Amino acid sequence: MFAVCVLLLSVAAAGHSAPLGCEDLVRPLDQLHPARLDGTWALVAGAFVDTGMMNSFARRNSSSITFDSVGGGRSNISYTITKSQDGHCRRRTFNISLEGSTMTFDPQDDVNVTVTFLFTSCPDCVLMRYETDTETQTRTLFRLFLFSKRRQLQQAELQEFKGQVKCLNMLEPVVLDPSTDLCPLQETDAESG
Ligand SMILES: *[C@@H]1O[C@H](CO)[C@@H](O)[C@H](O)[C@H]1NC(C)=O
Ligand SMILES: *[C@@H]1O[C@H](CO)[C@@H](O)[C@H](O)[C@H]1NC(C)=O
Ligand SMILES: *[C@@H]1O[C@H](CO)[C@@H](O)[C@H](O)[C@H]1NC(C)=O
Ligand SMILES: *[C@@H]1O[C@H](CO)[C@@H](O)[C@H](O)[C@H]1NC(C)=O
């Protein structure tokens, strides 16, 4: 029943959709319930302003993020990031909080990054803009990451992302190889650190 409603709604929305302009394509989400984030999301693509950051990202084989808002509400959400590169898995868990569509890290984690969830029409994706909080670096070091519950997206979904990247005058996005395994969430003895 719920699925049917969602389907009807999206058909209705698609029925009169003119192509979105940049303003709508890159707007932050108005509302984001923490439970909507729960679970593991695979990194599908990333986009950068800085060539060095882009090249270092391109060496990554796979990446994922996992949110767990159980027992935490908006102010105590567990956020784990994994990266697979050079045959090693790296993972780190943070406590984050969510205000509107902005995610902030615990100050004691010394991360200095603000993350904003942006619009995406992909139904099982999250689009996140990461900004480094230093006056001089905010503009050059911002980057976009498109995550999904799927490993591989439809062409049209990737096209939308490319359009968003273009709106923000960023470099062409890097799409990760969907066939590379994600790191397990828990450390295994062979792959720590
Ligand atoms: C990981 O990425 C590197 C660089 O793109 C590539 O050479 C290597 O084959 C990849 N490894 C796997 C397991 O996909
Ligand atoms: C935060 O959530 C974790 C479970 O995810 C829980 O163990 C912990 O007590 C919570 N802390 C606070 C301050 O609510
Ligand atoms: C998250 O916060 C809880 C209590 O609020 C604490 O027990 C836990 O160690 C924190 N985890 C991290 C990764 O900082
Ligand atoms: C975060 O910002 C503080 C204050 O500006 C600075 O002392 C610290 O080195 C920064 N940490 C990182 C990881 O950039």
Side-chain angles (χ1 to χ4, degrees):
M1 187 59 190
F2 177 70
V4 171
C5 289
V6 169
L7 185 66
L8 288 176
L9 280 176
S10 47
V11 168
H16 57 86
S17 68
L20 293 174
C22 279
E23 202 175 308
D24 291 318
L25 270 178
V26 298
R27 72 180 152 78
L29 296 179
D30 301 328
Q31 289 293 330
L32 180 59
H33 195 276
R36 154 94 169 85
L37 295 174
D38 281 343
T40 295
W41 306 80
L43 182 54
V44 175
F48 301 84
V49 174
D50 178 77
T51 320
M53 279 185 102
M54 182 181 78
N55 291 338
S56 114
F57 175 79
R59 292 173 43 228
R60 210 183 279 193
N61 289 114
S62 75
S63 209
S64 72
I65 53 174
T66 300
F67 291 95
D68 182 357
S69 71
V70 176
R74 299 186 81 82
S75 57
N76 175 26
I77 301 170
S78 152
Y79 167 77
T80 301
I81 176 159
T82 77
K83 295 177 192 177
S84 168
Q85 187 173 317
D86 305 325
H88 295 286
C89 275
R90 291 181 179 78
R91 58 180 77 63
R92 191 172 166 195
T93 297
F94 301 91
N95 284 327
I96 59 115
S97 59
L98 197 60
E99 243 176 78
S101 57
T102 302
M103 153 180 158
T104 46
F105 289 84
D106 196 324
Q108 79 188 25
D109 283 334
D110 196 29
V111 175
N112 297 357
V113 168
T114 300
V115 181
T116 309
F117 292 87
L118 302 183
F119 165 83
T120 171
S121 66
C122 164
D124 58 359
C125 298
V126 286
L127 177 58
M128 297 161 74
R129 182 182 68 204
Y130 289 64
E131 289 166 290
T132 304
D133 304 330
T134 30
E135 274 173 40
T136 52
Q137 295 184 325
T138 297
R139 206 180 55 76
T140 49
L141 295 188
F142 91 94
R143 54 265 185 208
L144 286 188
F145 295 114
L146 180 63
F147 295 90
S148 177
K149 296 272 163 132
R150 285 170 289 156
R151 292 303 302 279
Q152 196 159 13
L153 299 185
Q154 305 287 332
Q155 208 52 45
E157 292 166 332
L158 279 180
Q159 281 308 327
E160 179 182 81
F161 181 56
K162 286 185 179 166
Q164 291 168 309
V165 164
K166 208 167 182 180
C167 285
L168 294 168
N169 289 318
M170 305 177 84
L171 302 167
E172 271 282 298
V174 179
V175 179
L176 295 179
D177 176 358
S179 68
T180 311
D181 288 341
L182 297 179
C183 293
L185 207 51
Q186 304 297 329
E187 264 179 51
T188 56
D189 44 4
E191 298 178 312
S192 56

